[in-house]
Amino acid sequence: MTVLRWLKRLGGVILTLFIASILIFSMVSLTPGDPAAMLAGGSNPNPETLAAVREQLRLNDPIPVQYLGWLGDLFTGDLGRSFLVVKGAEVGSLIAPRMVTTGLLVAYAAVLIVIFGIGSGLLAGTSGKLVDRIITILTSAAMGAPTFVVAVALIAIFAVNLGWFPTLGAGEGGFADRIHHLTLPAISLAMAYLAFISRITRTSVLSQAHADHVETATVRGLPRNYVVRHHIWRNASGPILSVSGLSIAGLFAGTAVAEQAFGINGVGSLLTQAAASQDLPVVQILSMFMVATFVIVNLIVDEISAMPDPRLKQEVSA
């Protein structure tokens, strides 16, 4: 039964990625502008050169034929070559070194979301009205603040005025230096997600705090910490973990703003550069990478969220 369930989920993932690849390739290919003209010399390219470039890039073929050729190249490990960001460079060689930086930034932001998002939500849901109100006000303000605004505020306060953190780059030293450089970017990237997870956690915890089994455990004189861990959290953790997983998966799409604000050479900033210069191969591969990351992380989190209560596995596989 477990094997069949995993095969169904794997089939769903493959179908989702296939549909996403069609949509991404079609939308990117139909965007205004002609990258072949830019490669052939700008606004007034030589007609013969332009025709040769279009033939080389298979831009004269119908969109379905272009898509099948692109998909076939993906299956053989050929991610294509950059048109303009780094002309002629393999897309894989452009992405690989940046993935480490972006991965570390996302992991750092994810840790902040899990620790402070879930932690503050638990505190709001299990403490008195004053603590609950303070956390609610703070999270409401954080949810409404765009990433770029948070980044500018953090730079002004902690980098320029206090001088605690650097303003640009991801660090070139060891792990500690990288964490030091990525602290402000990670906070700006995680802030809105952290506040959202806090609100979700608070709501889920409050919904369980007045349940019959919790009141029974309290009346029996069980320690408060035990009641929170084994009765409130166990039953509230399902939706919290699910939403947390979706938020963490969505961090990859939000890295562009944080990386641009702090001058970080990551996947997000590369996607911004590629989109601005109409570098189609880079945009297509990075878009597929982000979709695949979102789908896979969501699949993993669905399984993790079912662990506190094995009965939820039937719902996850549905």
Side-chain angles (χ1 to χ4, degrees), residues 120-121 123-124 130-140 198:
S120 62
L123 186 62
L130 178 60
V131 174
D132 183 17
R133 184 170 299 177
I134 292 173
I135 293 177
T136 300
I137 292 173
L138 292 176
T139 53
S140 298
S198 178

Side-chain angles (χ1 to χ4, degrees), residues 177-234:
D177 183 56
R178 281 182 167 256
I179 292 297
H180 186 221
H181 276 76
L182 292 176
T183 295
L184 295 185
I187 294 173
S188 65
L189 178 60
M191 185 66 71
Y193 294 99
L194 186 156
F196 178 63
I197 296 303
S198 178
R199 298 295 293 273
I200 293 294
T201 302
R202 172 187 175 276
T203 301
S204 297
V205 167
L206 286 176
S207 68
Q208 294 295 325
H210 301 292
D212 292 340
H213 65 281
V214 174
E215 293 183 355
T216 300
T218 303
V219 170
R220 290 173 55 193
L222 295 177
R224 181 61 176 170
N225 290 337
Y226 181 90
V227 173
V228 171
R229 286 198 311 269
H230 295 275
H231 293 276
I232 296 178
W233 169 251
R234 180 174 183 141

Side-chain angles (χ1 to χ4, degrees), residues 239-295:
I240 296 171
L241 293 176
S242 296
V243 176
S244 297
L246 291 173
S247 298
I248 291 170
L251 287 173
F252 282 94
T255 54
V257 177
E259 289 178 357
Q260 286 287 99
F262 290 91
I264 297 173
N265 290 323
V267 172
S269 60
L270 177 61
L271 179 59
T272 302
Q273 297 172 30
S277 60
Q278 291 187 314
D279 200 335
L280 303 188
V282 178
V283 174
Q284 288 165 344
I285 293 300
L286 287 179
S287 299
M288 276 302 302
F289 165 74
M290 290 184 176
V291 171
T293 301
F294 183 88
V295 172

Side-chain angles (χ1 to χ4, degrees), residues 19 31 49 157 202 243 283 298:
I19 295 174
T31 53
T49 304
I157 297 171
R202 172 187 175 276
V243 176
V283 174
N298 186 36

